[in-house]
């Protein structure tokens, strides 16, 4: 997923688009060479988001 803020985020599964409210949106495919030029953000992983963070 590429956001309007200029970051790309890997989706860890096909269900993630629905969780984000994009279930009925048809994705636009971009060439891998173009996507690789966009800075990467953290993967969008529902399981990781549910885990409790370790105390600092």
């Amino acid at each position: 997923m590429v956001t309007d803020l200029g970051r790309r985020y890997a989706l860890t599964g096909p269900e993630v688009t629905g969780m984000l409210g994009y279930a009925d949106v048809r994705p636009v495919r971009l060439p891998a060479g173009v996507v690789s030029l966009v800075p990467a953000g953290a993967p969008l992983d529902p399981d990781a988001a549910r885990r409790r963070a370790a105390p600092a």
Side-chain angles (χ1 to χ4, degrees):
M1 173 174 288
V2 177
T3 69
D4 59 339
L5 297 176
R7 289 257 183 230
R8 64 182 159 95
Y9 297 92
L11 305 178
T12 59
E15 72 284 353
V16 177
T17 54
M19 292 175 178
L20 296 171
Y22 295 109
D24 296 328
V25 176
R26 182 177 174 178
V28 176
R29 297 272 180 192
L30 298 172
V34 172
V35 175
S36 69
L37 297 173
V38 179
L44 300 179
D45 183 350
D47 292 329
R50 289 184 190 103
R51 285 188 216 122
R52 173 173 260 150

